[in-house]
Amino acid sequence: MFSSILFLLLIGIGGVAFAEEGNSTSLTEEEKSYLLDAGHTAEEIESLPVEVAKQLVKEKAVITDKGSEIVEFIEGVNTKPGQTSTMGSISSSTMKLAGTVYKVTSDKANNDKFYIYGNFNWLKTPSFNLVDKMTFGFPSSSGLFLPTSSGKVTQHQHRYSQDQQGNGNWIDYAIDYSPSDWEPSAGVAGDFDLRASTSNTKHKGYMGQYVYVPTSKNGTINIKIEYGHKRISGSPTVSVYPAGLAITPTSTVDTASYALTLSY
């Protein structure tokens, strides 16, 4: 399996987290024009959630690098009625993955601030509509840390969307402003409940998280974005590794991952 990643570096103003759902409307022509001038393609602008695109405009996003590939998952196949094989060799689904790293003006003295963004888009309907997960992981030695308030991780956002008939009419479900899992100085995860519908149904989603690092820290690290899809039942779990939070590998979980490079 191979993953695809779109890697961006942003220098902007702001430090504002996310707009509330009720404040998100369609992009104006001026906002689209800015995103094009900043280096986005029309396809990339179309794929950006409106609330994220508006935030990029507000923070004066500047693209310095990008690229993408297609991920191919191998799922189990039904061999007989009521019997499921976990060793299926039929490539029944493909997915487009993308990820970004942005730098924004910090709202904390003596700390730099970054925004990590990742998204997925199933190009074919998966055989099993389960609860998938996406993780952002980074080594604890990097000095990156998560913003918190009242004992909870903040400045987080993940959302699932569904196109029931595969005709471009997307249903955007509620934004979740809390990660499904997190580990101090190691990363966050979001869960995505792929809702069943028809054989034509498409699924997509995204996750974003702000992180800080003391200005006194210097280094170059990898940020690992990983997607996990359970083949049969249940949901992938996450674990902490030297590289940070990631999907726990098992024989029934398909994963796709990519390491972004961040210098600070």
Side-chain angles (χ1 to χ4, degrees):
M1 293 177 290
F2 298 95
S3 65
S4 76
I5 287 295
L6 173 64
F7 173 48
L8 314 177
L9 179 63
L10 160 75
I11 299 176
I13 62 172
V16 179
F18 297 102
E20 293 298 324
E21 288 183 78
N23 294 332
S24 295
T25 58
S26 60
L27 293 177
T28 65
E29 290 304 314
E30 290 78 11
E31 288 169 329
K32 292 179 182 178
S33 178
Y34 173 81
L35 291 171
L36 284 171
D37 291 341
H40 294 84
T41 66
E43 181 182 2
E44 290 165 357
I45 295 172
E46 183 67 23
S47 68
L48 280 171
V50 173
E51 60 270 19
V52 173
K54 285 182 173 292
Q55 190 65 29
L56 294 179
V57 174
K58 187 174 184 179
E59 295 183 341
K60 307 298 182 184
V62 177
I63 295 177
T64 61
D65 193 17
K66 62 180 180 179
S68 64
E69 295 177 339
I70 300 295
V71 178
E72 191 169 67
F73 281 123
I74 307 299
E75 292 191 298
V77 294
N78 291 326
T79 55
K80 296 179 181 179
Q83 182 180 14
T84 301
S85 168
T86 61
M87 301 299 292
S89 60
I90 297 177
S91 176
S92 58
S93 57
T94 57
M95 172 191 290
K96 184 174 182 179
L97 291 179
T100 64
V101 175
Y102 302 89
K103 184 177 182 180
V104 299
T105 297
S106 180
D107 54 349
K108 287 183 179 291
N110 303 315
N111 285 274
D112 292 329
K113 188 174 185 179
F114 297 91
Y115 172 51
I116 308 169
Y117 171 81
N119 69 293
F120 67 91
N121 191 339
W122 284 91
L123 305 178
K124 297 181 182 178
T125 302
S127 299
F128 304 100
N129 298 295
L130 305 171
V131 179
D132 293 355
K133 285 198 176 185
M134 177 179 283
T135 60
F136 296 159
F138 41 85
S140 58
S141 59
S142 67
L144 297 182
F145 64 94
L146 302 167
T148 63
S149 178
S150 301
K152 297 181 179 181
V153 172
T154 60
Q155 300 185 47
H156 174 94
Q157 186 179 40
H158 67 270
R159 177 177 227 167
Y160 164 72
S161 301
Q162 180 191 63
D163 178 357
Q164 294 181 339
Q165 302 302 322
N167 56 10
N169 294 321
W170 289 94
I171 299 172
D172 296 323
Y173 293 97
I175 294 174
D176 196 330
Y177 294 97
S178 297
S180 62
D181 308 85
W182 63 277
E183 191 70 22
S185 301
V188 297
D191 51 7
F192 302 87
D193 187 357
L194 306 188
R195 305 192 182 195
S197 185
T198 72
S199 61
N200 296 320
T201 299
K202 301 296 187 299
H203 311 271
K204 68 179 181 180
Y206 75 90
M207 183 166 73
Q209 177 68 56
Y210 283 95
V211 296
Y212 295 89
V213 64
T215 305
S216 59
K217 288 273 189 178
N218 295 286
T220 299
I221 64 167
N222 290 130
I223 295 175
K224 183 180 183 181
I225 295 180
E226 189 165 37
Y227 186 92
H229 174 69
K230 198 75 175 289
R231 293 179 189 161
I232 303 302
S233 63
S235 175
T237 60
V238 299
S239 303
V240 180
Y241 301 93
L245 195 71
I247 304 295
T248 305
T250 73
S251 60
T252 60
V253 174
D254 285 328
T255 61
S257 61
Y258 191 88
L260 303 176
T261 299
L262 173 63
S263 296
Y264 53 94

